[in-house]
């Protein structure tokens, strides 16, 4: 239990850094007022406080996602950006850390990158570089897992997760095997 309480402090620190990154993102995208509002909402919202006060992976995942966007959004300008390729790869590495933290981060990173490229909000080459770096980070992880003899376990865990996402496998809740009824 003591280690869990120590991790709660780490999560609180991550949440504080996340609030700062949110303010920086909002300032880059809008005004100083919107930046202050975003930071205050995140810091004072009871749901956010509850989520970040527990030892949940979402806190770390969101920090990586927001850091990735802080790097990437500079590329969404009409004027050329110095070192755009390096910036795109850097954001992809940060997005990759988010995906390693929690697989659902793919929906917050790769999917928006694809939409941004299709709608020409960013040069498709830069979105592809960022997405490629994200996939590369995960591929390195999968290769290390496979090299240590756990490819089967990784495959089983990931396919079970996809089945849960699609609603084909329910392991918790009212309709799970052995679960109670709603009434």
């Amino acid at each position: 239990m003591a280690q869990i309480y120590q991790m709660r402090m780490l999560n609180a620190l991550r949440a504080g850094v996340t609030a700062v990154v949110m303010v920086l993102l909002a300032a880059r995208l809008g005004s100083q007022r919107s930046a202050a509002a975003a930071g205050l909402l995140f810091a004072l919202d009871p749901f956010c406080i509850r989520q970040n006060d527990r030892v949940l992976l979402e806190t770390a995942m969101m920090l990586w996602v927001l850091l990735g966007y802080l790097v990437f959004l500079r590329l969404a300008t009409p004027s050329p950006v110095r070192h755009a390729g390096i910036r795109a790869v850097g954001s992809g590495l940060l997005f990759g850390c988010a995906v390693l933290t929690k697989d659902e981060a793919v929906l917050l990173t790769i999917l928006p990158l694809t939409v941004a490229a299709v709608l020409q909000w960013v040069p498709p080459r830069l979105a592809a570089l960022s997405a490629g770096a994200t996939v590369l980070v995960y591929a390195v992880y999968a290769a290390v897992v496979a090299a240590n003899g756990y490819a089967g376990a990784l495959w089983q865990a990931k396919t079970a997760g996809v089945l849960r996402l699609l609603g084909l496998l329910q392991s918790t809740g009212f309709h799970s095997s052995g679960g109670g009824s709603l009434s």
Side-chain angles (χ1 to χ4, degrees):
M1 284 304 284
Q3 290 174 339
I4 291 174
Y5 282 116
Q6 289 174 353
M7 290 302 294
R8 289 177 83 175
M9 292 302 293
L10 179 61
N11 251 19
L13 179 65
R14 285 182 186 137
V17 174
T18 300
V20 170
V21 174
M22 275 186 170
V23 168
L24 293 172
L25 270 170
R28 182 171 290 169
L29 294 172
S31 67
Q32 297 299 328
R33 283 185 183 169
S34 63
L40 285 172
L41 279 173
F42 182 76
L44 299 176
D45 179 58
F47 180 76
C48 289
I49 292 170
R50 185 182 64 154
Q51 287 294 100
N52 293 320
D53 190 38
R54 298 189 172 140
V55 183
L56 300 174
L57 294 174
E58 284 79 359
T59 305
M61 178 196 68
M62 283 307 298
L63 177 57
W64 290 118
V65 168
L66 293 175
L67 285 170
Y69 279 120
L70 188 62
V71 172
F72 187 79
L73 284 178
R74 178 74 172 99
L75 303 174
T77 60
S79 59
V81 177
R82 287 186 61 201
H83 308 293
I86 294 170
R87 187 176 286 273
V89 170
S91 69
L93 294 176
L94 292 166
F95 289 153
C97 291
V99 173
L100 282 181
T101 303
K102 196 162 171 80
D103 291 343
E104 289 86 0
V106 168
L107 300 173
L108 301 172
T109 57
I110 300 294
L111 184 61
L113 286 173
T114 304
V115 170
V118 168
L119 296 177
Q120 300 286 313
W121 292 343
V122 296
R125 178 185 71 81
L126 296 176
L129 273 173
S130 188
T134 304
V135 171
L136 180 65
V137 169
Y138 201 82
V140 168
Y141 160 72
V144 168
V145 169
N148 285 294
Y150 294 105
L154 179 68
W155 177 258
Q156 183 179 7
K158 297 308 170 185
T159 54
V162 169
L163 291 174
R164 286 182 62 211
L165 175 71
L166 297 174
L168 301 174
L169 174 67
Q170 186 157 4
S171 57
T172 61
F174 294 114
H175 297 294
S176 64
S177 65
S181 72
L182 180 59
S183 60

